[in-house]
Structure formats: C-alpha cells, structure tokens
Amino acid sequence: MCDVSLDFVLYHQIHQLSFSPHTDSKGIMDLVKFLSPKHMILVHGEKPKMVSLKEKIQSELGIPCYVPANCDTVCVPSTPFVKAHASDTFIRSCSSPNFRFSKSSEDNPSLVSASRKAAAQLQVCDERVTEGILIMEKNMKAEIVHQDELLDVLGETKHEVSFAYCCPAYANDSKESGNRNLILAHDAAGLSEQCGWIQLLFRELLNCFSGRNIQNQGEHLYVESFHVSVCSNKSCPYRTIEGPQSKSPAVYFCCTWSAADEKLAREIISCMKNFKFSADLQKHC
C-alpha cells in the first residue's frame, strides 16, 4: 500500500434531475435514499419545515445537510479519486517492503495458559511509504512518476547549487624548510609535489575528522561532496585576499562542495586555515 501526497484541482460536473416541485417530505426522503449523495443542500421551502427535514436527513440517513440563508456560502468537503497510470520506476520503488514485527496481544491475559503465552503469534505489518509525483497534462491520462524521473518527463535538465573557495594554507617559518624536504621526499618516491601537499592535508583531516570517510586519490581528496585539490592557477577566480599577511601562503587548496554539505565544508576549511605542517619525516613517511 502506497501513501502518496498529491496536490491537484478537480472540476466537478453538475447534473440536473427532473422531479415534481410539489414533492412532500416523504418523496424527498425517497429521492435522497435513491441518489445516496455525500451531502445535501436545501435551498427552497418554508424555513421551519426545511430545518425539520434537515434533521430527519441527518438522523435517519446519516448524510450531512445544509440549510443556508440567502447569500450564505457553504463549503462542502470532498474526497476525489483520480485514475492514474504508474511508471515502472515508481512501481519498483514500491516493491521494497518495510516490515514491522510484533507479538499479538490478548484481551484477557489472566485466562491465557502458559503454553499459549509461550507460543504467542507473531504479527507482521508492512509499513512501506512511497512518494510519487502526479502529472496531469492536458488531453493526456494522469500518471504517477518517481521523483528521479520527473525532469526527464518534463524535458528539463537538473540544476545544482555548488560552492567553491581557494583556501590558503600557511606554514611556520621554522618548519617551512622541513616541509619542503618532506615534499622532496615524496618526489623522490615518484609522487608529484601536489600529491605531497595532499598527503599532508589527508593526515591532518584524519586527525580532525576521524569519523568521516576521507578518500585520498593522489592529487585529490574527497569528503562527501567536498573536493580538494592543489591550486596552481595564480589567477584563480575563487582565490580571495582576506587581509594583510606577513608571509605568502605555502600552498593554495581549491575546494568545491554542494549546498547540502555547507556545514561540513565550513568545518574543513576552518581546519585547513589552521593547518600545522610537521617537519618530522618519520611521522609522515
């Protein structure tokens, strides 16, 4: 069973029925029983008799009845049903069960034997909920599609908001030569200078974000949608000067991330700005 939230507008048709305008209360009651409407509105007749008929319709037939005065507005709730096709992708999304297991409860546990308590029946409920999108195009049948295929159905392309920042990383003067030796050691091992800086950053992020899945791919780092690489473009459009600096950055890291990971990106960039290089070669190699 699928629970689908839909927003749409339906236009109802009004049908005219011919019957005697002099029908008495019994005749009207017989007509209401025959038609079995969801709601009744009495608009013509003597006021006391209309009120009495309203109460009779509601008490005997259980149908909500209204007797509005002239110029009054009546809001009648309705539950529309729409026949719609379902796409294959949407149907497949409904096929994954969401079972909930529970033991059946007895009305009077004191009268239940110990053997029956031990062999209590297990109740299984499928509580799957699937979200779909109802498409109602003019002169076409309604269809429910999965949210992932909506853009293809509409012939549109996906637009994503992403952010970028070229982050400077500084090194202490006393350790800068040691870090440069570390980069040279990586070069001797067949790694590029960019890989050396990425390796240093990788180790630093492992200490700051031990619970995160940080992927080191040589010249690139990935943390969720956050991507880092060494920037060698001196005119990088994402590089900004945040105030006078006593020394030049040791390296720039170009970062990009999606809007969903904005909080994570701020935490990583804050860590990168406080990046402490270590000159201890044994620690890194």
Side-chain angles (χ1 to χ4, degrees):
M1 181 178 181
C2 300
D3 183 9
V4 183
S5 298
L6 306 173
D7 292 325
F8 52 89
V9 178
L10 295 180
Y11 297 92
H12 298 272
Q13 295 181 343
I14 299 177
H15 297 274
Q16 181 177 354
L17 297 175
S18 298
F19 60 93
S20 172
H22 301 289
T23 302
D24 57 9
S25 176
K26 182 180 182 303
I28 295 178
M29 290 292 292
D30 292 338
L31 179 63
V32 175
K33 290 178 183 178
F34 174 75
L35 296 176
S36 298
K38 298 294 183 181
H39 302 271
M40 280 287 299
I41 302 177
L42 304 179
V43 296
H44 180 73
E46 298 178 10
K47 195 68 175 180
K49 294 183 177 180
M50 292 174 65
V51 173
S52 176
L53 181 59
K54 168 191 172 182
E55 295 175 352
K56 189 174 182 180
I57 292 174
Q58 294 186 151
S59 61
E60 295 184 11
L61 304 179
I63 298 175
C65 188
Y66 307 88
V67 184
N70 291 339
C71 300
D72 279 358
T73 300
V74 176
C75 296
V76 179
S78 63
T79 305
F81 295 91
V82 178
K83 291 184 178 181
H85 293 286
S87 67
D88 294 338
T89 304
F90 175 75
I91 293 176
R92 284 195 298 270
S93 69
C94 303
S95 61
S96 299
N98 181 24
F99 293 128
R100 182 176 64 86
F101 301 91
S102 61
K103 291 186 177 181
S104 60
S105 59
E106 301 290 344
D107 294 335
N108 191 350
S110 61
L111 301 179
V112 181
S113 62
S115 58
R116 290 188 60 186
K117 289 183 179 179
Q121 293 183 350
L122 187 66
Q123 292 182 342
V124 182
C125 298
D126 188 355
E127 298 183 343
R128 74 184 74 182
V129 177
T130 301
E131 295 183 355
I133 300 173
L134 178 66
I135 298 179
M136 300 179 68
E137 298 185 67
K138 187 176 181 180
N139 299 328
M140 295 183 66
K141 293 183 178 179
E143 183 179 15
I144 300 177
V145 301
H146 193 270
Q147 58 184 3
D148 293 342
E149 59 182 342
L150 177 62
L151 293 178
D152 292 336
V153 174
L154 298 179
E156 300 290 340
T157 57
K158 186 177 181 179
H159 298 276
E160 293 184 354
V161 178
S162 59
F163 300 90
Y165 176 59
C166 195
C167 179
Y170 297 88
N172 295 329
D173 293 336
S174 60
K175 297 181 180 180
E176 187 172 359
S177 59
N179 285 289
R180 185 58 58 183
N181 291 334
L182 176 58
I183 301 303
L184 294 176
H186 281 282
D187 290 341
L191 299 174
S192 67
E193 183 175 346
Q194 290 185 352
C195 290
W197 290 117
I198 290 295
Q199 181 66 16
L200 286 171
L201 179 60
F202 175 65
R203 294 181 181 274
E204 183 72 12
L205 293 182
L206 283 178
N207 294 330
C208 298
F209 304 93
S210 58
R212 291 284 183 176
N213 180 22
I214 305 174
Q215 303 180 32
N216 183 0
Q217 299 186 2
E219 297 183 356
H220 306 270
L221 280 182
Y222 289 93
V223 188
E224 303 297 339
S225 68
F226 191 88
H227 168 260
V228 186
S229 62
V230 175
C231 182
S232 58
N233 182 9
K234 295 183 179 180
S235 59
C236 178
Y238 309 119
R239 187 177 300 181
T240 58
I241 300 176
E242 300 181 351
Q245 299 289 345
S246 59
K247 56 183 178 180
S248 299
V251 66
Y252 281 95
F253 292 108
C254 222
C255 312
T256 59
W257 64 93
S258 68
D261 292 326
E262 184 176 1
K263 181 179 179 181
L264 173 63
R266 292 181 182 274
E267 294 175 354
I268 296 177
I269 290 175
S270 177
C271 177
M272 292 168 62
K273 288 183 176 180
N274 297 322
F275 194 11
K276 300 296 183 182
F277 296 126
S278 173
D280 186 357
L281 300 183
Q282 298 298 327
K283 180 178 179 181
H284 297 281
C285 299

